[in-house]
Amino acid sequence: RKTNDLTAEDTFHSALTLAAEEGSPSSSTSKEAGLGLGPYIHFVYALSKDFALSGLRVGVAYSENKAIRLPMQKLNDLCQISSQTQQTVQEMLSAESTVSGDDGLWCTDEFLPQNNDRIQDRSDRLKQCLDGCKIPYLSGDSGLFLWMELAEFLPPRPVGDDDGEETEACKDTRERILYLELLQEFGLLFTPGRSMRNELPGYFRCVFTAASDLEFNLGLERIKGFVKAKRT
């Protein structure tokens, strides 16, 4: 905090919480006037993940710091959402629920609960697959992906670089080889951890929502096939 400012710049999944603990940041928000975050915390939120509306490019930039808000209000790039898009989003967010009566909203009472149930099902099935394959993973409480450790399947360090601490270039190369093997030989596309600034090679991010049910089922079978082939 060299400048005392803290910006939430990572992917925000506020409505995609699957199992947040009581009192965690994702399970509660401030009820004070505004959000009561003070002048040094700012965040940017978009409808891309929670409402699957990445194509509309609609979101919110929030700050209680007047020195931050003033230039943002004059930044033209944040004011280029068309009137048609704004109207579509407004109608969607204000539409009444067909099951909750006059006081309910479709987006919060119908869409989000059903969407979360589907995401939870995908997450549970992927974890079951990884547990069955004895692949370690980080079990998150929200979001559209999880991190899994495939370091077991990395190629060995090359001769001449197998003594002492592994170089960054060697880590990148070994993970790149595994990434291409997964993609080209087994039809599995995962985000390599080194591209996300992970210090250790062999961690891959699996997005379990970016596929149809048929494609997701096929992906699980390909993961099992990959593990079986590598351990045989």
Side-chain angles (χ1 to χ4, degrees):
R1 290 186 51 177
K2 293 182 179 180
T3 61
N4 292 327
D5 287 326
L6 176 62
T7 303
E9 60 182 12
D10 203 351
T11 307
F12 216 98
H13 300 117
S14 64
L16 299 180
T17 300
L18 303 179
E21 297 180 0
E22 185 66 26
S24 67
S26 56
S27 64
S28 62
T29 56
S30 172
K31 296 182 180 180
E32 302 174 6
L35 293 180
L37 300 180
Y40 302 122
I41 298 178
H42 330 283
F43 67 77
V44 177
Y45 170 79
L47 304 181
S48 303
K49 300 298 189 296
D50 290 343
F51 293 94
L53 292 175
S54 58
L56 296 184
R57 319 308 294 173
V58 177
V60 176
Y62 183 90
S63 175
E64 296 174 359
N65 189 321
K66 293 182 179 180
I68 297 293
R69 292 205 309 267
L70 181 60
M72 290 183 66
Q73 290 169 351
K74 299 182 180 298
L75 184 61
N76 188 51
D77 288 349
L78 300 179
C79 305
Q80 294 180 349
I81 302 173
S82 69
S83 299
Q84 293 87 344
T85 298
Q86 293 183 51
Q87 181 177 359
T88 298
V89 173
Q90 186 273 333
E91 292 177 353
M92 182 198 74
L93 295 180
S94 61
E96 295 181 357
S97 170
T98 58
V99 297
S100 302
D102 295 337
D103 296 332
L105 294 175
W106 171 83
C107 61
T108 56
D109 295 354
E110 297 183 49
F111 173 78
L112 287 179
Q114 185 181 77
N115 191 43
N116 280 16
D117 287 344
R118 291 178 176 178
I119 293 173
Q120 182 72 69
D121 178 67
R122 286 281 182 96
S123 176
D124 291 343
R125 292 181 59 200
L126 176 58
K127 292 175 184 178
Q128 290 173 4
C129 175
L130 297 178
D131 287 336
C133 294
K134 293 182 171 53
I135 295 178
Y137 60 86
L138 297 177
S139 181
D141 60 10
S142 60
L144 310 175
F145 60 85
L146 60 73
W147 285 98
M148 52 189 181
E149 183 187 353
L150 302 180
E152 170 190 352
F153 309 112
L154 287 170
R157 293 170 61 176
V159 177
D161 193 22
D162 52 358
D163 293 329
E165 185 175 352
E166 185 176 11
T167 64
E168 296 301 309
C170 183
K171 293 177 182 178
D172 292 340
T173 299
R174 293 202 299 140
E175 187 173 85
R176 177 70 176 175
I177 291 173
L178 178 56
Y179 165 77
L180 292 176
E181 181 182 10
L182 286 163
L183 178 61
Q184 297 173 356
E185 298 185 25
F186 295 92
L188 293 167
L189 177 60
F190 301 133
T191 303
R194 296 287 293 173
S195 69
M196 307 291 289
R197 301 183 181 181
N198 193 27
E199 294 182 5
L200 301 176
Y203 285 85
F204 288 80
R205 190 177 78 166
C206 177
V207 180
F208 50 79
T209 54
S212 65
D213 289 339
L214 179 62
E215 293 167 340
F216 180 71
N217 293 334
L218 179 60
L220 296 181
E221 293 303 315
R222 288 181 176 179
I223 291 175
K224 296 175 184 178
F226 164 75
V227 173
K228 182 179 180 180
K230 298 294 287 186
R231 288 178 177 164
T232 300

